[in-house]
Amino acid sequence: MDKPKHTPDGSLSTLVGNDRPSSDDRDIEKQVDSSGDPQPNKQLFPVTDLARGIVGWEGQDDPDNPQNFVPGKKWGLLLLISACTLISPLASSMFSPAVTFMAADFGETNETLLSFTVSVFLLGYTFGPCLLAPLSEIYGRRIVLSAANWFFVVWQIGCALAQNIETEIICRFFAGIGGAGCITLGAGVIADLFPVEQRGKATAIWGLGPLVGPVVGPIAGGFIGENAGWRWAFWVLLIAGGVLAAAVELLNQETFAPVLIRWKLEKMAKETGRTDLRSAYDGLDGNADSGPAAVRQALKLGLLRPLLLLVRSPIILLLSTYMAFVYGLLYLFFTTISSVFTSRYGFSSGLSGLAYLGIGMGFLAGLAFMAFTNDRILVRSTAKNGGKFEPEMRLPLMIFFSSILPISFFWYGWAADKHVHWIAPIIGMFPFGVGMMGVYMPIQTYVIDCYPKYAASANAALTASRSLVGALLPLAGPTMFADLGIGWGNSLLGFLAFAFVPVPIFFTSYGKTIRERWPVDLDGKKG
């Protein structure tokens, strides 16, 4: 009666990842078939499986299976984690316009150190995902997300009360580690809840925070720093983060199927007194040990998964590198906006934040386009492929959007360099926002489709690499633009973006071949 299936038969989602029977599941099916049971409508986990000690779902339509949650519940849980995902990226850039006020308080004049005070938050994004994602695949999404949220909130107090720049840097680093929770685990929650034909829209909603947050942050931070003082940027984050962390405690619930089945197993073992029970997700080896040695081994394997993906999966490494490159361009873009509009156009610190609306509107336009087209294109491509889904069907859109990216650097750079009316450079940022969303979303959804069971770890690999670049590359921005000027400095970035346009063509043409030639064992079953 127990079955590990996630969705009803006939759904497109039964064709990919952990939405289809794993090799272990098929082994169990063979084992049952070989028993000689003549039952004509035999299911994957017949009644005899419980007698054999295997605990799984109560059929394909089990309401406890997150894939079978009612739509309102699914989208409600996604919106909850998406709200948290907005606050964390907001914190990454909200402090940026107010950093000059902190510099005056601390008497700090080193521009590189001041820039690092802002970007060190992203360095926390580099380390946090590599720890939080594997833990969520061992202990569940809910407890790890809750712990990360409160960790983020507590460190805002340290940021607000810091009395020197060293303390500020340390507190922002640890706040970034906690803030990485929602950024990382959202991918896992999407894989837990949604079939493949709905993941594009779900990823677009969840992806709104990481891309819009850094844009809204400077707008809010500029006015707060100018009118209430730079410390109030952190008090506002403390209040908003605390409210959302409390909401997660009250409204969130576990969605990771292996953890839910483990809880079910423990309850059944207690009620029946049986000691031979094991989860359907534990395989067929009969050694589902939960002792200290097994826990240590699970932790070791889990913490290595993001690194394994980067080292052993060339396609994940290449996609991570490309996403990190685009992310680095974004943050180099950000390094000039505030100073350009205050020094060249006479904007105040508060008004300079409004200049980010150009790129923000581009993000929203790109997001809307991807939300409405990503899944539809996938369904049509699957139908044309004889009903066979392939994750690479997400990638062709990148070719068009990568071609849009370079436009902004030339438009914005030379409009600002030649002191064209302030609206011109703001409009010039729009194409980059559209293009970046068209690159970011397909990659994000692609890794979820490739590794649905370990989507959090796959996303951690992406997040860690791009955040490392986003944290360190902007430190070179002030020197580069001082030497080359706004026009030629941005043109250099535009030429680099143009040189990378063929990369999505390569991914679309050879991604499947690379993925299948270098598979990665994330379960640790091959030693």
Side-chain angles (χ1 to χ4, degrees):
M1 65 186 281
D2 292 321
K3 301 163 69 176
K5 297 277 284 182
H6 291 270
T7 55
D9 286 332
S11 168
L12 178 62
S13 63
T14 61
L15 300 175
V16 61
N18 69 343
D19 295 327
R20 65 184 176 192
S22 66
S23 59
D24 288 340
D25 299 335
R26 291 191 292 272
D27 289 341
I28 294 173
E29 189 171 19
K30 292 176 184 176
Q31 201 170 8
V32 173
D33 289 342
S34 65
S35 67
D37 187 349
Q39 201 170 356
N41 296 319
K42 191 183 301 178
Q43 295 178 330
L44 190 59
F45 278 112
V47 174
T48 55
D49 283 336
L50 184 58
R52 294 173 179 174
I54 301 173
V55 178
W57 298 115
E58 301 291 335
Q60 295 179 25
D61 300 320
D62 189 341
D64 292 330
N65 184 339
Q67 289 274 332
N68 295 327
F69 286 174
V70 296
K73 188 175 184 179
K74 287 185 177 184
W75 293 105
L77 290 172
L78 178 66
L79 288 174
L80 181 64
I81 196 170
S82 297
C84 297
T85 309
L86 176 63
I87 295 298
S88 179
L90 194 72
S92 71
S93 61
M94 192 171 179
F95 181 53
S96 180
V99 73
T100 54
F101 301 107
M102 182 203 70
D105 279 359
F106 294 161
E108 184 60 57
T109 58
N110 187 320
E111 289 294 330
T112 302
L113 192 59
L114 291 173
S115 296
F116 187 62
T117 307
V118 177
S119 64
V120 71
F121 189 90
L122 293 178
L123 204 58
Y125 275 9
T126 302
F127 292 95
C130 298
L131 174 67
L132 299 174
L135 288 177
S136 79
E137 291 161 355
I138 298 171
Y139 297 107
R141 318 289 192 201
R142 188 184 187 282
I143 187 171
V144 176
L145 178 61
S146 295
N149 284 343
W150 288 116
F151 194 78
F152 165 78
V153 169
V154 167
W155 284 102
Q156 301 307 317
I157 300 174
C159 292
L161 298 178
Q163 298 302 310
N164 54 64
I165 197 167
E166 292 81 9
T167 303
E168 193 68 53
I169 289 173
I170 292 171
C171 290
R172 277 185 60 78
F173 171 73
F174 283 109
I177 291 178
C182 51
I183 299 292
T184 307
L185 304 187
V189 172
I190 290 171
D192 296 342
L193 292 174
F194 295 97
V196 68
E197 68 271 20
Q198 294 180 350
R199 288 178 188 159
K201 184 183 294 183
T203 305
I205 294 173
W206 169 66
L208 185 65
L211 291 176
V212 174
V215 175
V216 176
I219 299 173
F223 285 108
I224 291 172
E226 192 174 53
N227 296 290
W230 65 271
R231 296 183 187 275
W232 264 100
F234 299 111
W235 292 126
V236 170
L237 289 170
L238 172 68
I239 295 168
V243 169
L244 283 173
V248 168
E249 291 293 334
L250 295 173
L251 302 175
N252 197 25
Q253 66 181 83
E254 185 54 57
T255 60
F256 192 46
V259 170
L260 292 171
I261 292 299
R262 187 169 72 235
W263 291 352
K264 178 179 178 181
L265 182 153
E266 292 169 354
K267 181 180 179 182
M268 291 180 66
K270 184 176 180 181
E271 292 174 348
T272 63
R274 292 180 60 176
T275 59
D276 64 323
L277 298 179
R278 68 179 186 271
S279 167
Y281 292 92
D282 286 339
L284 295 175
D285 55 13
N287 296 318
D289 185 16
S290 59
V295 171
R296 285 195 298 270
Q297 180 62 25
L299 282 171
K300 179 182 177 181
L301 177 62
L303 295 174
L304 284 175
R305 279 193 192 108
L307 182 61
L308 285 175
L309 282 166
L310 284 173
V311 173
R312 296 186 180 179
S313 173
I315 191 64
I316 294 297
L317 176 62
L318 292 171
L319 286 170
S320 297
T321 302
Y322 184 57
M323 182 180 277
F325 167 73
V326 175
Y327 211 62
L329 292 179
L330 171 68
Y331 276 88
L332 278 171
F333 217 155
F334 279 178
T335 61
T336 68
I337 294 175
S338 182
S339 61
V340 162
F341 283 89
T342 53
S343 63
R344 293 175 181 254
Y345 293 102
F347 283 28
S348 66
S349 296
L351 288 176
S352 67
L354 294 175
Y356 290 83
L357 286 175
I359 200 168
M361 295 303 293
F363 284 154
L364 290 175
L367 178 74
F369 181 86
M370 295 304 298
F372 286 109
T373 61
N374 198 349
D375 290 331
R376 294 179 183 180
I377 292 174
L378 175 77
V379 171
R380 285 201 297 268
S381 299
T382 302
K384 291 179 181 178
N385 197 36
K388 183 181 178 182
F389 165 78
E390 295 175 353
E392 286 72 25
M393 292 172 180
R394 302 280 189 187
L395 302 180
L397 276 175
M398 291 171 57
I399 299 172
F400 169 73
F401 285 102
S402 67
S403 303
I404 298 176
L405 281 172
I407 297 173
S408 285
F409 294 104
F410 300 104
W411 186 341
Y412 162 80
W414 289 109
D417 187 81
K418 302 303 180 183
H419 296 272
V420 180
H421 189 274
W422 56 264
I423 195 64
I426 291 179
I427 296 174
M429 301 177 202
F430 183 85
F432 182 86
V434 175
M436 183 173 178
M437 197 54 113
V439 169
Y440 180 93
M441 297 307 302
I443 294 176
Q444 195 77 66
T445 316
Y446 172 81
V447 299
I448 296 174
D449 289 341
C450 285
Y451 304 99
K453 182 178 179 181
Y454 299 114
S457 285
N459 183 56
L462 295 179
T463 304
S465 56
R466 75 171 185 257
S467 297
L468 180 63
V469 173
L472 300 180
L473 192 59
L475 300 180
T479 303
M480 181 184 75
F481 288 111
D483 292 342
L484 298 179
I486 295 297
W488 282 112
N490 278 282
S491 293
L492 174 61
L493 300 180
F495 289 130
L496 287 173
F498 184 76
F500 272 75
V501 168
V503 172
I505 302 175
F506 173 81
F507 290 147
T508 302
S509 302
Y510 301 104
K512 179 184 176 181
T513 302
I514 297 173
R515 174 173 57 85
E516 292 180 346
R517 184 173 180 180
W518 285 281
V520 184
D521 173 31
L522 297 178
D523 291 307
K525 295 177 181 178
K526 297 180 182 179

